[in-house]
Amino acid sequence: MDMRQVKRMIILAASIIFLGQMTVSADTQTGGFSNATGSNQQAVVVKNLDQLQNAFNSNQHHIIIAGSIYAGNKPITFTFADKKWDNTTIEGQSGTNPTLVNIQLKFDGEMLPATQAISNIVVKNITFNGVISDLQKLTGNDIKPGGSGVNYEGISLRRINNAWISHNDFHDMSDDLFSISLHSDNITVSNNRFWFSNQWLNMNPNPNWNWIGDWHDLATERLTMVVGANGSDSYMQGGHKMHVTMHDNWFGPNLKGRPLLRGYVHVYNNYFDNSNQPTGNNSSGFSQQQYNALQIGSGSYVLSENNTFYKTNNSHLIGLDKNGDAYKFLERNNIYNQVTGTNAKSNANASEFSIPYHYSTLTGGNIQQQVTAHSGPFK
């Protein structure tokens, strides 16, 4: 064997080792059900709304947000609605404080054939927030079901398979801050922060809006996220999809309630922070107290472990769509510090949960310290 053959064999062996390492990394890097890697296309950097719109219109699969992009005084939505959006990354450029203001990213495969979903999505390192004064001024259809205000979230995943949502900040939006629905599957939500500002909590004027057929005040709409839109969109009733991991996220402060979980959801290493403990009534006379921190919904399997609950009210709450709906819930090794209300009891054991990925749990005071230090954008 001459030296050229030896060199080729060395290169081939190194390549095999490298590819093996890449495969292992892709399978474990999210710490959850997703192994999404997003786009491998050349990135395009966008710095204003026109550039973002042009990147979207030209089907750019790797979009980098540089600086703050403002949609104007009414929320707008970018809807990624077909299979051409498979393998997409949208991320913020570190060092520019990347922010999408009054802008929602909706990945929505609901119009695809029933056997298809939009796949391999990564969104990371972005702040999503609304402008309170803009939202207060909305009127007419914008504040009724289907309107730009009542449907305004940061990210919405609808029939998406394999997505990784990581190191983002979500605050001050008028629907849930984030949602996973319509039989989405294999989603990891990691190192994000979900919260509402004191300005939102105490907003005045505090207009009445109509989300789902009834009217109530905007300031009370301080909801975190949902996994599964309803009981039929749950793990048990929806074809055993909705596998979701939530780890190392910072929930709070000033959250009224949720996450509401109807999927097969593994919740670990999260910090549920109700340190502000809102009390009393807001300017419209409605209670500001938190009603729950984490809600176990119809058709769900929820494993909650090694989380810290600080001053939360009803830390785990069973909240079903219909009395008697089935669910499985197991909590273990959580820390409860100065909590109020009640805490739901487990009705399942460890053998009923199967977690197919490697993960590492935090313990004790490390949970709060590590999560607050490493959640949200890198900026």
Side-chain angles (χ1 to χ4, degrees):
M1 183 181 296
D2 63 26
M3 287 302 296
R4 286 175 297 179
Q5 291 175 309
V6 171
K7 288 179 180 178
R8 281 197 296 267
M9 291 184 65
I10 292 172
I11 292 171
L12 176 61
S15 299
I16 293 171
I17 292 171
F18 175 75
L19 289 172
Q21 290 173 338
M22 287 297 290
T23 301
V24 171
S25 176
D27 286 340
T28 61
Q29 65 175 332
T30 76
F33 284 111
S34 172
N35 62 3
T37 55
S39 175
N40 61 5
Q41 292 187 5
Q42 183 174 353
V44 57
V45 178
V46 300
K47 299 181 179 181
N48 56 51
L49 186 61
D50 287 341
Q51 292 177 358
L52 176 58
Q53 186 69 62
N54 289 337
F56 175 79
N57 291 343
S58 60
N59 194 28
Q60 298 293 327
H61 278 232
H62 190 175
I63 300 173
I64 296 178
I65 309 298
S68 180
I69 298 178
Y70 173 53
N73 57 13
K74 182 184 294 189
I76 65 172
T77 298
F78 288 88
T79 303
F80 304 78
D82 54 52
K83 290 290 288 179
K84 73 180 182 182
W85 290 110
D86 284 357
N87 312 314
T88 291
T89 296
I90 302 180
E91 62 179 314
Q93 185 179 75
S94 296
T96 70
N97 192 24
T99 308
L100 294 179
V101 184
N102 287 357
I103 294 173
Q104 175 180 195
L105 303 180
K106 179 188 281 188
F107 295 88
D108 188 0
E110 65 182 310
M111 300 306 294
L112 296 174
T115 58
Q116 295 184 15
I118 300 172
S119 300
N120 192 22
I121 303 299
V122 174
V123 183
K124 60 184 179 180
N125 199 42
I126 300 171
T127 293
F128 296 85
N129 70 269
V131 177
I132 295 172
S133 59
D134 289 339
L135 298 173
Q136 287 173 307
K137 295 172 185 174
L138 295 181
T139 60
N141 290 333
D142 289 322
I143 62 171
K144 296 177 182 178
S148 64
V150 298
N151 289 334
Y152 171 40
E153 306 176 343
I155 299 174
S156 175
L157 303 179
R158 299 160 64 87
R159 205 195 294 176
I160 303 304
N161 181 53
N162 199 15
W164 184 22
I165 310 300
S166 186
H167 283 285
N168 302 291
D169 179 300
F170 301 86
H171 69 277
D172 289 357
M173 284 171 279
S174 48
D175 199 349
D176 289 279
L177 298 173
F178 172 58
S179 66
I180 303 168
S181 64
L182 298 189
H183 309 309
S184 292
D185 206 11
N186 299 314
I187 313 295
T188 300
V189 182
S190 62
N191 299 97
N192 301 285
R193 187 180 182 193
F194 303 89
W195 61 289
F196 282 87
S197 66
N198 289 334
Q199 289 76 18
W200 186 285
L201 178 72
N202 298 309
M203 74 166 64
N204 191 3
N206 180 13
N208 282 336
W209 285 19
N210 186 339
W211 278 266
I212 52 173
D214 63 337
W215 295 81
H216 66 80
D217 68 298
L218 180 59
T220 299
E221 192 75 4
R222 308 190 320 270
L223 302 178
T224 319
M225 63 180 286
V226 295
V227 176
N230 49 50
S232 63
D233 188 31
S234 67
Y235 171 71
M236 290 187 184
Q237 300 178 36
H240 288 184
K241 295 184 182 296
M242 306 297 289
H243 291 85
V244 176
T245 307
M246 297 162 39
H247 74 83
D248 294 86
N249 301 290
W250 181 1
F251 292 98
N254 289 335
L255 298 175
K256 183 73 173 179
R258 303 182 177 174
L260 166 54
L261 309 179
R262 298 184 177 101
Y264 192 116
V265 188
H266 183 201
V267 185
Y268 73 91
N269 289 358
N270 299 282
Y271 176 41
F272 293 87
D273 171 17
N274 193 37
S275 54
N276 285 5
Q277 282 193 300
T279 59
N281 296 330
N282 62 27
S283 60
S284 294
F286 295 98
S287 172
Q288 300 198 93
Q289 184 181 26
Q290 183 181 71
Y291 71 82
N292 69 22
L294 191 152
Q295 185 172 347
I296 296 92
S298 297
S300 64
Y301 271 60
V302 176
L303 171 58
S304 172
E305 61 177 332
N306 292 77
N307 304 290
T308 289
F309 295 84
Y310 180 53
K311 295 187 177 181
T312 51
N313 186 48
N314 300 324
S315 299
H316 293 97
L317 182 71
I318 308 299
L320 306 177
D321 296 288
K322 295 184 298 183
N323 290 335
D325 279 351
Y327 69 92
K328 293 291 184 180
F329 170 56
L330 175 63
E331 72 93 21
R332 61 190 181 194
N333 303 323
N334 291 305
I335 295 173
Y336 302 96
N337 184 358
Q338 303 178 59
V339 300
T340 58
T342 60
N343 192 39
K345 302 299 182 183
S346 300
N347 72 343
N349 56 57
S351 65
E352 296 178 87
F353 289 86
S354 177
I355 305 300
Y357 49 84
H358 172 76
Y359 65 100
S360 299
T361 55
L362 299 169
T363 58
N366 290 330
I367 301 173
Q368 178 177 342
Q369 179 182 0
Q370 291 296 313
V371 170
T372 56
H374 298 291
S375 63
F378 301 111
K379 303 296 186 184

